Amino acid sequence: MERYRVILGERFTLPNKDCLLQFELVNLENTKKSYRLLKLFEIPVNVDKIFLNNWQSWGSCDSFPITLDISKYFENPPSKDFILAFTPEPKIFSNPENLMSDYFIAYGDTFMGFLKSEVSHNFFVYNKNKKSISVYVDLFGKELEPGEKITLEPVIVLKGNELEKLLETYGSLVADENKLNSDKEIRVGWCSWYQYFTNINYDELKKNVRILKKLREEKGIPYRFVQIDDGYQKDIGDWLKTNSKFPEGLNGIVKSIKEAGFIAGIWLAPFSISETSSIFLEHQDWLVKNENGAPKIAFRNWEKNIYGLDLSNEEVLNWLKDLFTELKRIGFDYFKIDFLFSGAIPGERKKKVSPIEAYRTGLKVIREAIGSSFLLGCGAPLLPSVGLVDGMRIGADTSPNWIEDIVSPFPNAKVALRNVVTRYFMHKRWWNNDPDCLLLRGKDTNLSKSMRRLYSYVSAALSNMIIESDDMGNVDEDGLNILKESLKLCDGEPRVFNLQTDKKVYVIGVKGLPNGNYIMIANLENEDLEIEIPKSAKQWTGIKSKTIKVPARDVVIVRDQVRKLKVERIRRKDDNRLVNYYWDGDSK
Amino acid sequence: MMEIRYNPLTDEWVMVSSSRRARPVLPSENACPLCPGVLELEKNYDLATFENRFPALKMDAPEVVQENNLLKKMKSKGVCEVIMYTSEHNSALPRMSLNQIEKLILVWRDRTYEISKFNSVKYIFLFENRGKEVGATLSHPHGQLYAFPFVPKRIQAKLDSMKEHYSQYKKCVLCEIISEEIAKDERIIYQNDGFIAIVPFYARFPYEVHIYPKRHVTSILDMTNNEIKDFAKTLKAVTMKYDKLFAQEFPYMMCFFQKPFNVNENFEDFFHFHVEFYPPKRDKDKIKWMASVETGTWNFINPSLPKEVADRLKDAEVRLDD
Ligand SMILES: [Zn+2]
Ligand SMILES: [Zn+2]
């Protein structure tokens, strides 16, 4: 691939081929200069739709018509109170003339993407009036000495008509740039959130652990970790003390989970501090400030103002280190860290570092404190997290409700599942994708059996993490069967073939599994559809099928069944060498 | 001593494996250690695999201490397995039933899949050395598998070259060669719905044959059930033709090339699975040696014309009844 080095400010035309662009910023003044938003280049674009990506876990990644107005979704609370969750550039984001895309963008036959975000926030803006895309880097006030030169974070340009290939190539280039090496067990887990929300209590936790253990032992369902979610803690920021629903504290939680043979997991929002927490009362100097020097509200939730920790402050980092060291000492080995964006909000910090640098410093402290334990990011800026987490939520919160709107980022099974598909290429390249929990119960839910199956099968076909979130007392045979069938679909080589379709019906080809390739058609629409299988999906799997009917909000699988051998795997008694004996299915 | 050493002159890795353990004693001098119940396989079997007794790579390889930056080394962490094609001592690929070869392909798939789960494994190499001319000491039909903790040099050369072609033309080079060979039909010695076998335009050995799946697949795991059947037929046809050529058991090295595993790169679009046979002969009784030019420069001098060899192999008629 050709590399171009460009000095910012020089005339520059985007080459019409795959290339890597490196921009250099030089301070030509005789005084120290501080840099904020820099436009790298602007190109005219004449298309009807664009593939956009939001910077954070919960935000949309999809192909949208250029007429879309995202700003109207953020005009009123609660979304208005959450705008910093969806962008560190609220002015640009909420201008109805703009469509903003963080990290990467695709239109026509062109894909552009930044290979990293360790210092600056990097994004693209489509302007509806100018019909152009501008490429921006925000350095948030970084200072350069006279004559000092820095290289900005590189942009890759890829050409081609099959978006999935460009996304996979981009994903691999980012992974390479970040030297990722992920080798962690990712299924199956259980999480308390989508059944109990903040109402989880100790007895319910223990009850579920009991049932999960029974299912593992009697039905062979490989549950491996149990993660307590929001609802155990005294306050947002006071994580080591439990509330009255957990009288035996964190030790009791760990003990009851580990005694049943599970990995103990815990949820927390480590960069968030509520206005009623002890940290807010004692250490306001630990928080990110606004331009007036007052603590800056990051968002509102739990009916409270929530502030972001200043992760450039050594005292904060020491507190964070002690917190995670203690949680690990208590016995947790799986950490779901949520609302991470609040560590990366723009604002005043103790040290002159960018919000992105501060955020990464915070994540690194956590990573070092927990060692090889599993770290699952959520509500997190995506690109700055690459290489620091083992798993990452890549969509909005799921929900026991299925809502048709696919722009609003609030809990909704459909919008969550859409991102599972569109961000599939991040899985195993950047981290293990967390598609959010599977809700498999038949009670306390507005999800039909076909919706539950659809969500579960798609997550499995894309080989994502599998985490169930149900009152296990409410899960019937149907639910267990969906889970068992899903597990058989995992660990192939998936590719999604029609990411830019207007109707949300996706064709997923999976190959590389010993028992054979398959094509999955996932229909997220509320109508029965007949789908013509794209040639590229047939090529990927070798399956020749032409058109497939898929019921509304359901999934169909077309398989190529490969002949099976029986196998016995044994270790030799004398030297422990592995021996495999194979024979025909019918005879021995 | 077991470690992998880096050669900074060529950017390649050398596996050092010097075992002082004594060879096990066989029940009798002529006993075959691969026959059921003799030494390596305690039970009766149809097909089987086992980890090498004296492996060059193993998962629990000894740790290595880096002495300096010049003489680099790495742990011999990997897998070396022997793959038993059948319990019939006197069989061989060309004499095995299609059913047995199909089962063998399923075994290759199972081993590839299972071993690819180890994140430290970067390349899984399936191969067979047939005949004493290529160092096979045991005649019982078997192949081997090496799972490397790195991508070997020649594989990397293939990947780089195929990637270069893809980035220039946005097409897989082997897909293009396959259409070209089918259109020309000069060097094809056998084909069916799923595969072609050719003496390639760029053959290095006089009797070199390559097998290419017609569909763009990147590993043995991607094949459909029909392709597995077609692959079995192709393997049988090629090896039968070899044996027929000089009415002798034709020695060869058979190498499978699949994409690397657990490497953060997108090989899917430019890499195409293939098999290469390198027979060490240049005539009925003459050996084609890997001599100075071949070994020292990696350049081969092919004394015969691929098209003419292809004609002879095409004419060596074989029947694939069962
Ligand atoms: Zn034998
Ligand atoms: Zn190809």
Side-chain angles (χ1 to χ4, degrees), chain A residues 539, chain B residues 162 171-176 178 213-217 268-273:
Chain A
Q539 188 67 29
Chain B
M162 293 173 89
K171 281 186 183 139
C172 159
V173 65
L174 262 188
C175 283
E176 294 206 285
I178 292 163
K214 289 181 179 172
R215 185 169 67 86
H216 181 82
V217 304
E268 293 303 334
D269 298 310
F270 65 78
F271 189 77
H272 194 122
F273 174 86

PDB file of all heavy atoms in Angstrom, chain A residues 539, chain B residues 162 171-176 178 213-217 268-273, ligand 2:
ATOM      1  N   GLN A 539     -20.217 -17.889  -2.675  1.00  0.00           N
ATOM      2  CA  GLN A 539     -18.792 -18.119  -2.892  1.00  0.00           C
ATOM      3  C   GLN A 539     -18.082 -18.409  -1.562  1.00  0.00           C
ATOM      4  O   GLN A 539     -17.259 -19.299  -1.448  1.00  0.00           O
ATOM      5  CB  GLN A 539     -18.216 -16.848  -3.545  1.00  0.00           C
ATOM      6  CG  GLN A 539     -16.801 -16.958  -4.014  1.00  0.00           C
ATOM      7  CD  GLN A 539     -16.648 -17.926  -5.182  1.00  0.00           C
ATOM      8  OE1 GLN A 539     -17.575 -18.106  -5.966  1.00  0.00           O
ATOM      9  NE2 GLN A 539     -15.501 -18.567  -5.259  1.00  0.00           N
TER      10      GLN A 539
ATOM     11  N   MET B 162       0.868 -13.180  -3.024  1.00  0.00           N
ATOM     12  CA  MET B 162      -0.561 -13.245  -3.352  1.00  0.00           C
ATOM     13  C   MET B 162      -1.272 -11.973  -2.904  1.00  0.00           C
ATOM     14  O   MET B 162      -2.198 -11.493  -3.552  1.00  0.00           O
ATOM     15  CB  MET B 162      -1.179 -14.491  -2.703  1.00  0.00           C
ATOM     16  CG  MET B 162      -0.635 -15.782  -3.316  1.00  0.00           C
ATOM     17  SD  MET B 162      -1.170 -17.282  -2.449  1.00  0.00           S
ATOM     18  CE  MET B 162      -2.705 -17.638  -3.310  1.00  0.00           C
ATOM     19  N   LYS B 171      -8.168  -9.100  -7.118  1.00  0.00           N
ATOM     20  CA  LYS B 171      -8.588 -10.459  -7.461  1.00  0.00           C
ATOM     21  C   LYS B 171      -7.573 -11.438  -6.888  1.00  0.00           C
ATOM     22  O   LYS B 171      -6.376 -11.135  -6.840  1.00  0.00           O
ATOM     23  CB  LYS B 171      -8.638 -10.639  -8.979  1.00  0.00           C
ATOM     24  CG  LYS B 171      -9.880 -10.044  -9.610  1.00  0.00           C
ATOM     25  CD  LYS B 171      -9.937 -10.396 -11.086  1.00  0.00           C
ATOM     26  CE  LYS B 171     -11.131  -9.743 -11.738  1.00  0.00           C
ATOM     27  NZ  LYS B 171     -10.826  -9.200 -13.063  1.00  0.00           N
ATOM     28  N   CYS B 172      -8.061 -12.606  -6.516  1.00  0.00           N
ATOM     29  CA  CYS B 172      -7.165 -13.647  -6.017  1.00  0.00           C
ATOM     30  C   CYS B 172      -6.374 -14.203  -7.189  1.00  0.00           C
ATOM     31  O   CYS B 172      -6.940 -14.582  -8.211  1.00  0.00           O
ATOM     32  CB  CYS B 172      -7.986 -14.735  -5.337  1.00  0.00           C
ATOM     33  SG  CYS B 172      -7.131 -16.303  -5.206  1.00  0.00           S
ATOM     34  N   VAL B 173      -5.065 -14.295  -7.038  1.00  0.00           N
ATOM     35  CA  VAL B 173      -4.223 -14.720  -8.155  1.00  0.00           C
ATOM     36  C   VAL B 173      -4.506 -16.172  -8.539  1.00  0.00           C
ATOM     37  O   VAL B 173      -4.534 -16.524  -9.718  1.00  0.00           O
ATOM     38  CB  VAL B 173      -2.719 -14.482  -7.851  1.00  0.00           C
ATOM     39  CG1 VAL B 173      -2.232 -15.335  -6.697  1.00  0.00           C
ATOM     40  CG2 VAL B 173      -1.872 -14.737  -9.085  1.00  0.00           C
ATOM     41  N   LEU B 174      -4.775 -17.035  -7.560  1.00  0.00           N
ATOM     42  CA  LEU B 174      -5.043 -18.436  -7.909  1.00  0.00           C
ATOM     43  C   LEU B 174      -6.384 -18.583  -8.608  1.00  0.00           C
ATOM     44  O   LEU B 174      -6.524 -19.400  -9.509  1.00  0.00           O
ATOM     45  CB  LEU B 174      -4.967 -19.331  -6.674  1.00  0.00           C
ATOM     46  CG  LEU B 174      -3.639 -20.058  -6.494  1.00  0.00           C
ATOM     47  CD1 LEU B 174      -3.728 -21.059  -5.349  1.00  0.00           C
ATOM     48  CD2 LEU B 174      -3.213 -20.770  -7.778  1.00  0.00           C
ATOM     49  N   CYS B 175      -7.392 -17.799  -8.201  1.00  0.00           N
ATOM     50  CA  CYS B 175      -8.667 -17.827  -8.912  1.00  0.00           C
ATOM     51  C   CYS B 175      -8.428 -17.483 -10.382  1.00  0.00           C
ATOM     52  O   CYS B 175      -8.977 -18.112 -11.286  1.00  0.00           O
ATOM     53  CB  CYS B 175      -9.666 -16.834  -8.310  1.00  0.00           C
ATOM     54  SG  CYS B 175     -10.422 -17.422  -6.780  1.00  0.00           S
ATOM     55  N   GLU B 176      -7.550 -16.507 -10.614  1.00  0.00           N
ATOM     56  CA  GLU B 176      -7.262 -16.110 -11.998  1.00  0.00           C
ATOM     57  C   GLU B 176      -6.497 -17.196 -12.750  1.00  0.00           C
ATOM     58  O   GLU B 176      -6.773 -17.472 -13.909  1.00  0.00           O
ATOM     59  CB  GLU B 176      -6.464 -14.801 -12.002  1.00  0.00           C
ATOM     60  CG  GLU B 176      -7.283 -13.641 -11.473  1.00  0.00           C
ATOM     61  CD  GLU B 176      -6.812 -12.310 -12.032  1.00  0.00           C
ATOM     62  OE1 GLU B 176      -5.752 -11.812 -11.597  1.00  0.00           O
ATOM     63  OE2 GLU B 176      -7.500 -11.789 -12.913  1.00  0.00           O
ATOM     64  N   ILE B 178      -6.583 -20.371 -12.149  1.00  0.00           N
ATOM     65  CA  ILE B 178      -7.492 -21.496 -12.389  1.00  0.00           C
ATOM     66  C   ILE B 178      -8.324 -21.236 -13.657  1.00  0.00           C
ATOM     67  O   ILE B 178      -8.421 -22.104 -14.535  1.00  0.00           O
ATOM     68  CB  ILE B 178      -8.385 -21.747 -11.154  1.00  0.00           C
ATOM     69  CG1 ILE B 178      -7.520 -22.280  -9.996  1.00  0.00           C
ATOM     70  CG2 ILE B 178      -9.504 -22.730 -11.478  1.00  0.00           C
ATOM     71  CD1 ILE B 178      -8.167 -22.180  -8.626  1.00  0.00           C
ATOM     72  N   PRO B 213      -8.506 -26.033  -5.419  1.00  0.00           N
ATOM     73  CA  PRO B 213      -9.975 -26.044  -5.398  1.00  0.00           C
ATOM     74  C   PRO B 213     -10.482 -24.929  -6.317  1.00  0.00           C
ATOM     75  O   PRO B 213      -9.907 -23.845  -6.348  1.00  0.00           O
ATOM     76  CB  PRO B 213     -10.318 -25.735  -3.934  1.00  0.00           C
ATOM     77  CG  PRO B 213      -9.109 -25.105  -3.357  1.00  0.00           C
ATOM     78  CD  PRO B 213      -7.919 -25.537  -4.167  1.00  0.00           C
ATOM     79  N   LYS B 214     -11.550 -25.218  -7.080  1.00  0.00           N
ATOM     80  CA  LYS B 214     -12.032 -24.209  -8.028  1.00  0.00           C
ATOM     81  C   LYS B 214     -12.689 -23.044  -7.317  1.00  0.00           C
ATOM     82  O   LYS B 214     -12.640 -21.919  -7.777  1.00  0.00           O
ATOM     83  CB  LYS B 214     -13.011 -24.854  -9.019  1.00  0.00           C
ATOM     84  CG  LYS B 214     -12.313 -25.787  -9.998  1.00  0.00           C
ATOM     85  CD  LYS B 214     -13.309 -26.396 -10.975  1.00  0.00           C
ATOM     86  CE  LYS B 214     -12.579 -27.315 -11.964  1.00  0.00           C
ATOM     87  NZ  LYS B 214     -13.546 -28.055 -12.801  1.00  0.00           N
ATOM     88  N   ARG B 215     -13.324 -23.331  -6.194  1.00  0.00           N
ATOM     89  CA  ARG B 215     -13.918 -22.242  -5.416  1.00  0.00           C
ATOM     90  C   ARG B 215     -12.827 -21.634  -4.538  1.00  0.00           C
ATOM     91  O   ARG B 215     -11.911 -22.329  -4.102  1.00  0.00           O
ATOM     92  CB  ARG B 215     -15.067 -22.775  -4.546  1.00  0.00           C
ATOM     93  CG  ARG B 215     -15.835 -21.692  -3.796  1.00  0.00           C
ATOM     94  CD  ARG B 215     -17.102 -22.264  -3.181  1.00  0.00           C
ATOM     95  NE  ARG B 215     -16.836 -23.217  -2.114  1.00  0.00           N
ATOM     96  CZ  ARG B 215     -16.639 -22.906  -0.829  1.00  0.00           C
ATOM     97  NH1 ARG B 215     -16.683 -21.639  -0.453  1.00  0.00           N
ATOM     98  NH2 ARG B 215     -16.410 -23.838   0.071  1.00  0.00           N
ATOM     99  N   HIS B 216     -12.965 -20.357  -4.270  1.00  0.00           N
ATOM    100  CA  HIS B 216     -11.955 -19.664  -3.452  1.00  0.00           C
ATOM    101  C   HIS B 216     -12.113 -20.068  -1.982  1.00  0.00           C
ATOM    102  O   HIS B 216     -12.931 -19.525  -1.257  1.00  0.00           O
ATOM    103  CB  HIS B 216     -12.112 -18.153  -3.611  1.00  0.00           C
ATOM    104  CG  HIS B 216     -11.114 -17.364  -2.825  1.00  0.00           C
ATOM    105  ND1 HIS B 216      -9.835 -17.117  -3.267  1.00  0.00           N
ATOM    106  CD2 HIS B 216     -11.188 -16.808  -1.596  1.00  0.00           C
ATOM    107  CE1 HIS B 216      -9.178 -16.417  -2.366  1.00  0.00           C
ATOM    108  NE2 HIS B 216      -9.977 -16.219  -1.328  1.00  0.00           N
ATOM    109  N   VAL B 217     -11.344 -21.041  -1.537  1.00  0.00           N
ATOM    110  CA  VAL B 217     -11.363 -21.422  -0.120  1.00  0.00           C
ATOM    111  C   VAL B 217      -9.977 -21.178   0.456  1.00  0.00           C
ATOM    112  O   VAL B 217      -8.977 -21.274  -0.259  1.00  0.00           O
ATOM    113  CB  VAL B 217     -11.799 -22.892   0.111  1.00  0.00           C
ATOM    114  CG1 VAL B 217     -13.148 -23.155  -0.509  1.00  0.00           C
ATOM    115  CG2 VAL B 217     -10.774 -23.874  -0.416  1.00  0.00           C
ATOM    116  N   GLU B 268      -8.433 -13.684   3.958  1.00  0.00           N
ATOM    117  CA  GLU B 268      -9.563 -14.342   3.321  1.00  0.00           C
ATOM    118  C   GLU B 268      -9.674 -14.071   1.829  1.00  0.00           C
ATOM    119  O   GLU B 268     -10.052 -14.946   1.073  1.00  0.00           O
ATOM    120  CB  GLU B 268     -10.867 -13.941   4.010  1.00  0.00           C
ATOM    121  CG  GLU B 268     -10.986 -14.459   5.440  1.00  0.00           C
ATOM    122  CD  GLU B 268     -10.849 -15.969   5.534  1.00  0.00           C
ATOM    123  OE1 GLU B 268     -11.150 -16.659   4.543  1.00  0.00           O
ATOM    124  OE2 GLU B 268     -10.428 -16.462   6.594  1.00  0.00           O
ATOM    125  N   ASP B 269      -9.353 -12.862   1.405  1.00  0.00           N
ATOM    126  CA  ASP B 269      -9.634 -12.518   0.022  1.00  0.00           C
ATOM    127  C   ASP B 269      -8.487 -12.812  -0.943  1.00  0.00           C
ATOM    128  O   ASP B 269      -8.705 -12.978  -2.113  1.00  0.00           O
ATOM    129  CB  ASP B 269     -10.078 -11.057  -0.066  1.00  0.00           C
ATOM    130  CG  ASP B 269     -11.359 -10.857   0.729  1.00  0.00           C
ATOM    131  OD1 ASP B 269     -12.292 -11.662   0.516  1.00  0.00           O
ATOM    132  OD2 ASP B 269     -11.409  -9.967   1.587  1.00  0.00           O
ATOM    133  N   PHE B 270      -7.271 -12.907  -0.428  1.00  0.00           N
ATOM    134  CA  PHE B 270      -6.173 -13.113  -1.380  1.00  0.00           C
ATOM    135  C   PHE B 270      -5.515 -14.477  -1.288  1.00  0.00           C
ATOM    136  O   PHE B 270      -4.812 -14.888  -2.181  1.00  0.00           O
ATOM    137  CB  PHE B 270      -5.123 -11.999  -1.262  1.00  0.00           C
ATOM    138  CG  PHE B 270      -4.385 -11.949   0.059  1.00  0.00           C
ATOM    139  CD1 PHE B 270      -3.358 -12.837   0.327  1.00  0.00           C
ATOM    140  CD2 PHE B 270      -4.714 -10.996   1.020  1.00  0.00           C
ATOM    141  CE1 PHE B 270      -2.663 -12.774   1.528  1.00  0.00           C
ATOM    142  CE2 PHE B 270      -4.021 -10.932   2.217  1.00  0.00           C
ATOM    143  CZ  PHE B 270      -3.002 -11.832   2.479  1.00  0.00           C
ATOM    144  N   PHE B 271      -5.735 -15.201  -0.208  1.00  0.00           N
ATOM    145  CA  PHE B 271      -5.089 -16.509  -0.101  1.00  0.00           C
ATOM    146  C   PHE B 271      -6.041 -17.600  -0.556  1.00  0.00           C
ATOM    147  O   PHE B 271      -7.225 -17.582  -0.242  1.00  0.00           O
ATOM    148  CB  PHE B 271      -4.585 -16.787   1.318  1.00  0.00           C
ATOM    149  CG  PHE B 271      -3.741 -18.023   1.355  1.00  0.00           C
ATOM    150  CD1 PHE B 271      -2.438 -17.988   0.896  1.00  0.00           C
ATOM    151  CD2 PHE B 271      -4.277 -19.231   1.774  1.00  0.00           C
ATOM    152  CE1 PHE B 271      -1.666 -19.138   0.856  1.00  0.00           C
ATOM    153  CE2 PHE B 271      -3.505 -20.391   1.742  1.00  0.00           C
ATOM    154  CZ  PHE B 271      -2.199 -20.338   1.287  1.00  0.00           C
ATOM    155  N   HIS B 272      -5.507 -18.587  -1.281  1.00  0.00           N
ATOM    156  CA  HIS B 272      -6.327 -19.652  -1.861  1.00  0.00           C
ATOM    157  C   HIS B 272      -5.667 -20.982  -1.509  1.00  0.00           C
ATOM    158  O   HIS B 272      -4.497 -21.202  -1.836  1.00  0.00           O
ATOM    159  CB  HIS B 272      -6.370 -19.415  -3.380  1.00  0.00           C
ATOM    160  CG  HIS B 272      -7.397 -20.193  -4.122  1.00  0.00           C
ATOM    161  ND1 HIS B 272      -8.378 -19.593  -4.888  1.00  0.00           N
ATOM    162  CD2 HIS B 272      -7.597 -21.528  -4.247  1.00  0.00           C
ATOM    163  CE1 HIS B 272      -9.131 -20.529  -5.454  1.00  0.00           C
ATOM    164  NE2 HIS B 272      -8.686 -21.712  -5.079  1.00  0.00           N
ATOM    165  N   PHE B 273      -6.404 -21.820  -0.839  1.00  0.00           N
ATOM    166  CA  PHE B 273      -5.877 -23.133  -0.422  1.00  0.00           C
ATOM    167  C   PHE B 273      -5.312 -23.890  -1.627  1.00  0.00           C
ATOM    168  O   PHE B 273      -5.898 -23.855  -2.704  1.00  0.00           O
ATOM    169  CB  PHE B 273      -7.015 -23.933   0.225  1.00  0.00           C
ATOM    170  CG  PHE B 273      -6.636 -25.355   0.564  1.00  0.00           C
ATOM    171  CD1 PHE B 273      -6.016 -25.635   1.768  1.00  0.00           C
ATOM    172  CD2 PHE B 273      -6.889 -26.399  -0.319  1.00  0.00           C
ATOM    173  CE1 PHE B 273      -5.653 -26.944   2.088  1.00  0.00           C
ATOM    174  CE2 PHE B 273      -6.528 -27.712  -0.011  1.00  0.00           C
ATOM    175  CZ  PHE B 273      -5.914 -27.972   1.202  1.00  0.00           C
TER     176      PHE B 273
HETATM  177 ZN    ZN C   2      -8.944 -17.657  -5.007  1.00  0.00          ZN
END
